[in-house]
Amino acid sequence: MFIVEETLAGTEAAQIPKQRGESLLETAVRYAEERHWDVFPGTWLEAADGSQRCSCGDAACPAPGSHPARPDWATQATGSATVARRMWQKQPAASILLPTGRTFDAISVPETAGFLALARMERMELTLGPVTLTPDRRMEFFVLPGAGVKVPDLVRKLGWAVSSLDLTVLGEGAYVAAPPTRFGSRGAVQWACRPTPANRWLPDAEELISPLAYACGRDR
């Protein structure tokens, strides 16, 4: 079973024990090997004047240690565990970033809306894919690719104006930071719903958009 961290309290499989001590290299390799996700190394954190700064050198970096390190990151992303191991051996502290629009898209909502949606999804007995919780208080629901095209129309059919909801789709040309990537001093990305054999097959955006839109509407 694929376990990186303990699932957050109140979500499925919360009883699974933690697995600690796994390096970023080992985790990146497992994402490529066990989930067949493309991965690429991002920036990392460096100690400077008693604090941690992003390796990009920008003292005001908005996402320290958790963004692409080079402009051609999309071509650098790999689904090969061997290549992933080689890349992280060069920079073991590099963050783990996953390009969207390939094996999955991600629907991003505020943390409060995300937890409300998770509760509704559980009552509706919906099958979820992995879900991340980021230090900037966003939850990202993994769904099948192509969500960016579908979601605006689906939201309108539910009676919402797309611009009125804090709900975005990360698809081709975007990426998500994967656990246990750290956002500077703000903390690490966690799994709200961890990758397991049961959620290897991702849901379509259409299956999750109703509870997500409702939760975002309540969260305004």
Side-chain angles (χ1 to χ4, degrees):
M1 182 174 291
F2 188 97
I3 305 170
V4 176
E5 299 172 271
E6 184 177 17
T7 301
L8 297 180
T11 57
E12 185 179 0
Q15 74 279 7
I16 297 175
K18 296 180 182 179
Q19 180 171 314
R20 297 188 182 278
E22 190 168 58
S23 69
L24 288 161
L25 182 154
E26 292 167 334
T27 306
V29 168
R30 280 158 61 84
Y31 288 148
E33 194 169 58
E34 299 184 19
R35 297 299 291 201
H36 305 294
W37 288 339
D38 283 3
V39 299
F40 68 97
T43 54
W44 57 92
L45 296 173
E46 298 176 333
D49 300 325
S51 62
Q52 290 185 318
R53 290 187 179 179
C54 187
S55 62
C56 72
D58 182 358
C61 178
S66 56
H67 65 84
R70 44 194 282 185
D72 63 342
W73 61 265
T75 61
Q76 185 188 24
T78 180
S80 165
T82 300
V83 175
R85 182 177 298 279
R86 191 180 306 132
M87 289 194 294
W88 266 271
Q89 283 175 338
K90 292 179 180 177
Q91 182 44 256
S95 54
I96 303 173
L97 305 180
L98 312 176
T100 50
R102 300 187 182 187
T103 52
F104 65 88
D105 282 357
I107 302 177
S108 175
V109 300
E111 175 187 308
T112 50
F115 279 117
L116 176 60
L118 282 176
R120 288 178 64 84
M121 290 173 186
E122 184 175 354
R123 292 195 297 271
M124 297 166 70
E125 298 184 346
L126 295 179
T127 301
L128 289 175
V131 182
T132 62
L133 174 62
T134 70
D136 55 358
R137 305 182 70 84
R138 304 288 296 182
M139 292 182 76
E140 294 163 344
F141 291 72
F142 289 23
V143 295
L144 290 172
V149 176
K150 298 179 179 180
V151 164
D153 189 49
L154 292 171
V155 169
R156 282 191 291 268
K157 287 180 178 178
L158 291 168
W160 297 98
V162 179
S163 60
S164 70
L165 301 180
D166 187 1
L167 181 153
T168 58
V169 179
L170 302 172
E172 187 175 357
Y175 62 89
V176 297
T181 294
R182 296 191 65 82
F183 280 44
S185 61
R186 285 175 277 172
V189 184
Q190 302 177 60
W191 289 116
C193 292
R194 73 183 59 244
T196 68
N199 64 22
R200 180 174 294 278
W201 304 106
L202 298 176
D204 190 274
E206 189 169 359
E207 300 172 58
L208 305 186
I209 198 61
S210 177
L212 285 172
Y214 171 81
C216 287
R218 287 281 303 272
D219 193 53
R220 290 187 299 175

